[in-house]
PDB file of all heavy atoms in Angstrom:
ATOM      1  N   ASN A  40       2.744   9.922  11.811  1.00  0.00           N
ATOM      2  CA  ASN A  40       1.488   9.085  11.574  1.00  0.00           C
ATOM      3  C   ASN A  40       0.727   9.700  10.444  1.00  0.00           C
ATOM      4  O   ASN A  40       1.112  10.634   9.822  1.00  0.00           O
ATOM      5  CB  ASN A  40       0.672   8.929  12.861  1.00  0.00           C
ATOM      6  CG  ASN A  40       0.034  10.208  13.295  1.00  0.00           C
ATOM      7  OD1 ASN A  40      -0.272  11.046  12.474  1.00  0.00           O
ATOM      8  ND2 ASN A  40      -0.296  10.303  14.564  1.00  0.00           N
ATOM      9  N   SER A  41      -0.371   8.947  10.126  1.00  0.00           N
ATOM     10  CA  SER A  41      -1.120   9.338   8.902  1.00  0.00           C
ATOM     11  C   SER A  41      -2.223  10.400   9.084  1.00  0.00           C
ATOM     12  O   SER A  41      -2.785  10.869   8.104  1.00  0.00           O
ATOM     13  CB  SER A  41      -1.706   8.098   8.207  1.00  0.00           C
ATOM     14  OG  SER A  41      -2.614   7.502   9.127  1.00  0.00           O
ATOM     15  N   ARG A  42      -2.445  10.856  10.305  1.00  0.00           N
ATOM     16  CA  ARG A  42      -3.646  11.643  10.603  1.00  0.00           C
ATOM     17  C   ARG A  42      -3.697  12.918   9.762  1.00  0.00           C
ATOM     18  O   ARG A  42      -4.611  13.202   9.015  1.00  0.00           O
ATOM     19  CB  ARG A  42      -3.740  11.917  12.116  1.00  0.00           C
ATOM     20  CG  ARG A  42      -5.124  12.493  12.443  1.00  0.00           C
ATOM     21  CD  ARG A  42      -5.276  12.526  13.997  1.00  0.00           C
ATOM     22  NE  ARG A  42      -5.299  11.136  14.533  1.00  0.00           N
ATOM     23  CZ  ARG A  42      -4.555  10.739  15.546  1.00  0.00           C
ATOM     24  NH1 ARG A  42      -3.566  11.406  15.950  1.00  0.00           N
ATOM     25  NH2 ARG A  42      -4.735   9.513  15.980  1.00  0.00           N
ATOM     26  N   GLU A  43      -2.602  13.732   9.905  1.00  0.00           N
ATOM     27  CA  GLU A  43      -2.677  15.039   9.155  1.00  0.00           C
ATOM     28  C   GLU A  43      -2.557  14.843   7.657  1.00  0.00           C
ATOM     29  O   GLU A  43      -3.204  15.622   6.892  1.00  0.00           O
ATOM     30  CB  GLU A  43      -1.417  15.898   9.651  1.00  0.00           C
ATOM     31  CG  GLU A  43      -1.571  16.545  10.937  1.00  0.00           C
ATOM     32  CD  GLU A  43      -2.795  17.438  11.029  1.00  0.00           C
ATOM     33  OE1 GLU A  43      -2.957  18.302  10.160  1.00  0.00           O
ATOM     34  OE2 GLU A  43      -3.632  17.169  11.994  1.00  0.00           O
ATOM     35  N   LEU A  44      -1.825  13.845   7.189  1.00  0.00           N
ATOM     36  CA  LEU A  44      -1.740  13.645   5.793  1.00  0.00           C
ATOM     37  C   LEU A  44      -3.092  13.278   5.215  1.00  0.00           C
ATOM     38  O   LEU A  44      -3.448  13.744   4.155  1.00  0.00           O
ATOM     39  CB  LEU A  44      -0.795  12.415   5.548  1.00  0.00           C
ATOM     40  CG  LEU A  44       0.661  12.527   6.004  1.00  0.00           C
ATOM     41  CD1 LEU A  44       1.482  11.301   5.540  1.00  0.00           C
ATOM     42  CD2 LEU A  44       1.249  13.810   5.530  1.00  0.00           C
ATOM     43  N   PHE A  45      -3.875  12.439   5.876  1.00  0.00           N
ATOM     44  CA  PHE A  45      -5.219  12.076   5.403  1.00  0.00           C
ATOM     45  C   PHE A  45      -6.211  13.206   5.447  1.00  0.00           C
ATOM     46  O   PHE A  45      -6.980  13.384   4.557  1.00  0.00           O
ATOM     47  CB  PHE A  45      -5.769  10.915   6.296  1.00  0.00           C
ATOM     48  CG  PHE A  45      -5.094   9.586   5.983  1.00  0.00           C
ATOM     49  CD1 PHE A  45      -5.439   8.485   6.784  1.00  0.00           C
ATOM     50  CD2 PHE A  45      -4.201   9.408   4.986  1.00  0.00           C
ATOM     51  CE1 PHE A  45      -4.808   7.253   6.572  1.00  0.00           C
ATOM     52  CE2 PHE A  45      -3.571   8.240   4.701  1.00  0.00           C
ATOM     53  CZ  PHE A  45      -3.878   7.140   5.534  1.00  0.00           C
ATOM     54  N   LYS A  46      -6.043  14.054   6.487  1.00  0.00           N
ATOM     55  CA  LYS A  46      -6.924  15.222   6.558  1.00  0.00           C
ATOM     56  C   LYS A  46      -6.821  16.070   5.359  1.00  0.00           C
ATOM     57  O   LYS A  46      -7.759  16.474   4.697  1.00  0.00           O
ATOM     58  CB  LYS A  46      -6.671  16.015   7.876  1.00  0.00           C
ATOM     59  CG  LYS A  46      -7.850  16.620   8.543  1.00  0.00           C
ATOM     60  CD  LYS A  46      -7.446  17.517   9.670  1.00  0.00           C
ATOM     61  CE  LYS A  46      -7.326  16.698  11.017  1.00  0.00           C
ATOM     62  NZ  LYS A  46      -6.781  17.514  12.155  1.00  0.00           N
ATOM     63  N   LYS A  47      -5.487  16.438   5.083  1.00  0.00           N
ATOM     64  CA  LYS A  47      -5.170  17.252   3.857  1.00  0.00           C
ATOM     65  C   LYS A  47      -5.709  16.575   2.567  1.00  0.00           C
ATOM     66  O   LYS A  47      -6.074  17.202   1.647  1.00  0.00           O
ATOM     67  CB  LYS A  47      -3.759  17.549   3.820  1.00  0.00           C
ATOM     68  CG  LYS A  47      -3.306  18.529   4.879  1.00  0.00           C
ATOM     69  CD  LYS A  47      -1.829  19.004   4.621  1.00  0.00           C
ATOM     70  CE  LYS A  47      -1.266  19.685   5.866  1.00  0.00           C
ATOM     71  NZ  LYS A  47       0.224  19.550   5.940  1.00  0.00           N
ATOM     72  N   ALA A  48      -5.424  15.244   2.494  1.00  0.00           N
ATOM     73  CA  ALA A  48      -5.718  14.560   1.256  1.00  0.00           C
ATOM     74  C   ALA A  48      -7.243  14.499   0.944  1.00  0.00           C
ATOM     75  O   ALA A  48      -7.645  14.666  -0.199  1.00  0.00           O
ATOM     76  CB  ALA A  48      -5.164  13.075   1.312  1.00  0.00           C
ATOM     77  N   VAL A  49      -8.044  14.314   2.086  1.00  0.00           N
ATOM     78  CA  VAL A  49      -9.470  14.325   1.874  1.00  0.00           C
ATOM     79  C   VAL A  49      -9.907  15.637   1.379  1.00  0.00           C
ATOM     80  O   VAL A  49     -10.746  15.761   0.405  1.00  0.00           O
ATOM     81  CB  VAL A  49     -10.240  13.851   3.128  1.00  0.00           C
ATOM     82  CG1 VAL A  49     -11.679  14.045   3.029  1.00  0.00           C
ATOM     83  CG2 VAL A  49      -9.833  12.398   3.535  1.00  0.00           C
ATOM     84  N   THR A  50      -9.466  16.702   2.014  1.00  0.00           N
ATOM     85  CA  THR A  50      -9.973  18.009   1.496  1.00  0.00           C
ATOM     86  C   THR A  50      -9.396  18.471   0.210  1.00  0.00           C
ATOM     87  O   THR A  50     -10.003  19.126  -0.558  1.00  0.00           O
ATOM     88  CB  THR A  50      -9.766  19.092   2.612  1.00  0.00           C
ATOM     89  OG1 THR A  50      -8.367  19.088   3.004  1.00  0.00           O
ATOM     90  CG2 THR A  50     -10.625  18.938   3.867  1.00  0.00           C
ATOM     91  N   GLY A  51      -8.149  17.983  -0.070  1.00  0.00           N
ATOM     92  CA  GLY A  51      -7.479  18.341  -1.301  1.00  0.00           C
ATOM     93  C   GLY A  51      -7.821  17.516  -2.464  1.00  0.00           C
ATOM     94  O   GLY A  51      -7.360  17.835  -3.629  1.00  0.00           O
TER      95      GLY A  51
END
Side-chain angles (χ1 to χ4, degrees):
N40 69 23
S41 59
R42 194 168 293 121
E43 281 306 306
L44 302 185
F45 286 172
K46 215 185 273 173
K47 288 189 194 151
V49 171
T50 51

